């Protein structure tokens, strides 16, 4: 970790992340080898090499590529003939921080030996730190591509047995001013996005000075560690400051947050934090044709129109989107087409789409999106619904009575935090959804009978109930 001493007043506090009291440390102790660097028996000796970063996209009008939305390219990160892989790093979020450098090819370890091959970003707090607690981070997403296909950054590839090694997670005592009940510090932290329970696994050395920490932000869980108060020189490879994150399944991308936690202390200015990351143990698996990642698809009525909106976080070889509509007992039919906003159909940043469909239908209208790639493969989105013109109910169930053991439950908006259950005439729960965030549910495989749907808004606590009938089960 590096520090630059300047003096000013911190103005804001970012509350993401959970702070624990730091573990003891000994700046004179350094174990340079660690079991964390040992690959599993089915792993390989491949190690990444991040050098010569090239800016590909500047995000949010930030010409130097340090802002959210920026994309950087790294050629041949495998450093191994025959398994050539390129990578991109996208800056997803910048919170209470500023990126000084995306990768420092001049970085050295505690012994003055070059660690040019590490991914070594440098960040700092966005304002001077003095007297007020503050937290910040920069979120990155690393993606892997098969070299030699197209421009080398078009076809994603999976890496199996991937281990992400983070070094030099250190801190300082921030002047050792005992403010509040927990003292003062400036601590670095590293978190990786959890993909499934226990994946990745987070491993620390037996001699660690790091706290294991995890927290939930929106619907995502982040796993990682926070430093002690010892400041080490260079990008320290001491095992006391190292963390290994191992993935159980093949990965084509990894999302991680590099940040700081400042508990108010002395006048420490705007400290520079430098991180050292390498990938190891991975094995080249297969290139994959990734479907376009479409999310936040919503549909709502605005007067005589239905307003559809959706976002993609990633597009590969995408032609565009067919918008389809269904009313009553008709089949879905095309009502419009939106061409991909991504140059060449490839994108690694969020792209927002909107489509307005003139709609004066008095009943429920259902919509879906069909994404078509440049090889004419089609992928279908989830269904969204809008209420009929003039309908006042906030919940509509159709058809009612339902046939073939199926009904649709439609809300007037998509809102986070609805708990929904369907009870039979005896009050027994036969279907249940927790924290439902969409606006359309299709309940299937129901037997003939009378049912009650119970909806609780988790934000307001309001509970609504509505009855429906199934007249015929699916044959």
């Amino acid at each position: 970790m590096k520090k630059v001493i300047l003096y000013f007043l911190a103005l804001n506090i970012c509350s993401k992340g959970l702070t624990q009291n730091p573990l003891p440390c000994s700046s004179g102790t350094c174990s340079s080898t660690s079991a964390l660097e040992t690959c599993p028996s089915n792993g390989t000796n491949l190690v990444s090499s991040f050098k010569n970063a090239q800016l590909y996209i500047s995000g949010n009008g930030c010409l130097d590529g340090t802002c959210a939305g920026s994309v950087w390219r790294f050629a041949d990160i495998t450093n191994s003939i025959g398994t050539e892989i390129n990578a991109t790093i996208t800056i997803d979020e910048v919170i209470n921080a500023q990126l000084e450098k995306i990768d420092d090819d001049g970085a050295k370890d505690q012994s003055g030996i070059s660690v040019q091959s590490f991914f070594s970003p440098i960040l700092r707090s966005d304002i001077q730190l003095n007297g007020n607690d503050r937290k910040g981070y920069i979120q990155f997403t690393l993606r892997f591509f098969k070299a030699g296909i197209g421009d080398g950054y078009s076809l994603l590839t999976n890496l199996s047995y991937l281990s992400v090694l983070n070094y030099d997670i250190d801190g300082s005592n921030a002047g050792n001013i005992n403010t509040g009940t927990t003292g003062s510090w400036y601590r670095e932290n590293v978190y990786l996005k959890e993909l499934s329970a226990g994946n990745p696994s987070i491993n620390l050395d037996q001699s660690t000075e790091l706290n294991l920490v995890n927290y939930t932000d929106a619907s995502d869980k982040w796993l990682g560690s926070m430093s002690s108060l010892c400041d080490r020189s260079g990008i320290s490879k001491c095992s006391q400051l190292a963390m290994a994150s191992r993935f159980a399944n093949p990965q084509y991308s990894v999302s991680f947050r590099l940040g700081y936690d400042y508990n108010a202390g002395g006048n420490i200015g705007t400290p520079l934090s430098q991180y050292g990351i390498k990938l190891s143990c991975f094995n080249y698996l297969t290139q994959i044709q990734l479907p376009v990642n479409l999310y936040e698809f919503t549909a709502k009525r605005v007067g005589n129109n239905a307003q559809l909106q959706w976002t993609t976080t990633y597009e590969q070889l995408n032609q565009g989107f067919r918008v389809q509509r269904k009313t009553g007992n008709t089949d879905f039919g095309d009502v419009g087409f939106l061409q991909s906003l991504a140059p060449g159909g490839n994108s690694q940043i969020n792209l927002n789409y909107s489509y307005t469909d003139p709609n004066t239908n008095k009943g429920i209208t259902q919509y879906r999106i069909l994404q078509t790639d440049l090889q004419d493969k089609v992928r279908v989105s989830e269904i969204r619904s809008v209420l009929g013109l003039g309908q006042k109910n906030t919940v509509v169930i159709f058809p009612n009575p339902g046939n073939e053991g199926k009904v649709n439950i439609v809300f007037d908006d998509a809102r986070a935090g609805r708990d929904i259950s369907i009870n039979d005439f005896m009050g027994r729960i036969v279907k249940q959804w927790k924290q439902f965030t969409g606006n359309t549910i299709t309940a299937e495989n129901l037997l003939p009978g009378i049912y009650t749907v119970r909806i609780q808004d988790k934000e307001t606590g309001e509970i609504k109930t509505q009855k429906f009938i199934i007249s015929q089960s699916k044959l």
Side-chain angles (χ1 to χ4, degrees):
M1 183 176 73
K2 303 176 182 177
K3 294 191 182 72
V4 176
I5 307 299
L6 294 171
Y7 307 106
F8 199 67
L9 182 67
L11 299 178
N12 296 305
I13 296 177
C14 173
S15 61
K16 289 181 180 177
L18 174 67
T19 302
Q20 298 180 16
N21 288 328
L23 294 179
C25 64
S26 173
S27 59
T29 302
C30 177
S31 302
S32 58
T33 58
S34 172
L36 299 179
E37 297 181 319
T38 302
C39 295
S41 59
N42 47 10
T44 72
N45 61 357
L46 288 176
V47 178
S48 63
S49 179
F50 288 86
K51 295 183 289 188
N52 304 318
Q54 297 293 318
L55 179 61
Y56 176 57
I57 296 174
S58 294
N60 299 332
C62 184
L63 297 181
D64 62 358
T66 61
C67 300
S70 297
V71 181
W72 292 80
R73 287 180 167 182
F74 293 83
D76 192 12
I77 68 161
T78 54
N79 199 22
S80 175
I81 297 174
T83 55
E84 295 173 0
I85 297 170
N86 297 334
T88 62
I89 290 182
T90 301
I91 302 174
D92 300 320
E93 283 188 309
V94 179
I95 304 296
N96 290 353
Q98 182 170 324
L99 185 64
E100 287 287 311
K101 196 168 189 177
I102 186 67
D103 186 37
D104 180 12
D105 286 342
K108 296 181 179 181
D109 68 10
Q110 73 276 8
S111 301
I113 299 172
S114 173
V115 286
Q116 181 186 34
S117 62
F118 285 12
F119 174 56
S120 305
I122 302 174
L123 63 86
R124 65 173 176 84
S125 58
D126 57 326
I127 62 174
Q128 321 294 338
L129 299 179
N130 179 19
N132 289 316
D133 296 350
R134 192 170 180 81
K135 305 174 193 286
Y137 67 86
I138 298 180
Q139 179 179 318
F140 303 88
T141 294
L142 169 62
R143 294 182 174 92
F144 314 114
F145 297 86
K146 173 64 176 174
I149 303 296
D151 65 354
Y153 298 89
S154 298
L155 192 59
L156 285 166
T157 188
N158 271 320
L159 302 184
S160 58
Y161 314 118
L162 178 63
S163 181
V164 180
L165 296 172
N166 291 86
Y167 297 97
D168 193 40
I169 308 173
D170 62 354
S172 75
N173 64 11
N176 199 27
I177 307 300
N178 291 318
T179 58
T181 59
T182 53
S184 63
W185 58 61
Y186 180 91
R187 304 172 67 184
E188 294 179 355
N189 51 64
V190 175
Y191 300 103
L192 281 84
K193 184 177 179 180
E194 184 184 58
L195 304 178
S196 59
N199 187 33
S201 62
I202 305 298
N203 305 279
L204 304 179
D205 191 83
Q206 188 174 10
S207 63
T208 191
E209 297 172 1
L210 308 178
N211 290 109
L212 278 174
V213 182
N214 66 74
Y215 68 96
T216 300
D217 181 11
S219 59
D220 296 325
K221 187 174 182 180
W222 296 86
L223 313 173
S225 63
M226 186 175 293
S227 74
S228 66
L229 307 187
C230 281
D231 188 6
R232 310 287 182 124
S233 61
I235 295 185
S236 172
K237 292 190 289 186
C238 299
S239 59
Q240 287 84 352
L241 314 181
M243 180 182 86
S245 308
R246 294 197 169 99
F247 289 86
N249 303 315
Q251 303 299 317
Y252 58 80
S253 68
V254 176
S255 293
F256 53 93
R257 289 177 172 178
L258 307 177
Y260 68 90
D261 183 316
Y262 174 64
N263 204 54
N267 296 330
I268 68 168
T270 54
L272 292 176
S273 295
Q274 185 164 25
Y275 302 81
I277 300 171
K278 76 174 182 181
L279 312 180
S280 68
C281 305
F282 58 86
N283 191 11
Y284 171 74
L285 192 61
T286 55
Q287 61 264 23
I288 58 173
Q289 192 69 41
L290 180 73
V292 169
N293 185 13
L294 183 150
Y295 82 115
E296 290 187 351
F297 173 33
T298 63
K300 64 180 180 180
R301 175 167 292 284
V302 180
N304 291 335
N305 299 307
Q307 184 69 51
L308 279 61
Q309 294 180 319
W310 64 95
T311 299
T312 62
T313 60
Y314 183 88
E315 294 188 25
Q316 182 169 281
L317 303 177
N318 182 29
Q319 284 190 42
F321 304 91
R322 290 161 53 193
V323 179
Q324 292 196 324
R325 177 180 65 199
K326 171 182 171 65
T327 58
N329 294 321
T330 64
D331 291 330
F332 277 100
D334 290 357
V335 294
F337 178 83
L338 269 65
Q339 193 168 22
S340 170
L341 297 175
N346 300 310
S347 169
Q348 297 178 52
I349 60 176
N350 288 8
L351 294 175
N352 299 313
Y353 295 86
S354 178
Y355 184 84
T356 301
D357 179 40
N359 184 319
T360 57
N361 181 37
K362 302 296 184 183
I364 296 290
T365 305
Q366 294 181 300
Y367 290 93
R368 69 183 184 187
I369 305 295
L370 272 63
Q371 180 269 322
T372 306
D373 68 19
L374 295 176
Q375 298 176 343
D376 292 324
K377 295 179 182 177
V378 176
R379 301 171 181 90
V380 184
S381 75
E382 295 180 345
I383 294 173
R384 297 290 183 260
S385 304
V386 298
L387 299 178
L389 185 65
Q391 283 186 319
K392 301 298 183 182
N393 292 337
T394 57
V395 181
V396 172
I397 300 174
F398 77 97
N400 190 7
N403 50 34
E404 296 188 348
K406 180 171 69 174
V407 296
N408 299 284
I409 305 169
V410 179
F411 308 98
D412 61 346
D413 63 358
R415 185 185 312 162
R418 285 188 176 103
D419 284 353
I420 302 159
S421 65
I422 294 177
N423 296 21
D424 64 14
F425 74 100
M426 296 290 290
R428 296 171 296 198
I429 296 176
V430 295
K431 302 280 185 182
Q432 192 171 40
W433 298 263
K434 292 287 189 179
Q435 296 292 329
F436 182 74
T437 59
N439 86 320
T440 305
I441 287 178
T442 299
E444 300 183 276
N445 300 317
L446 296 172
L447 298 174
I450 300 174
Y451 294 87
T452 300
V453 59
R454 181 184 186 274
I455 303 125
Q456 181 178 16
D457 190 316
K458 301 300 289 183
E459 292 179 357
T460 65
E462 181 183 10
I463 297 175
K464 296 180 181 178
T465 61
Q466 195 163 328
K467 293 187 181 297
F468 66 90
I469 297 173
I470 296 294
S471 61
Q472 182 181 347
S473 61
K474 187 174 181 179
L475 298 178

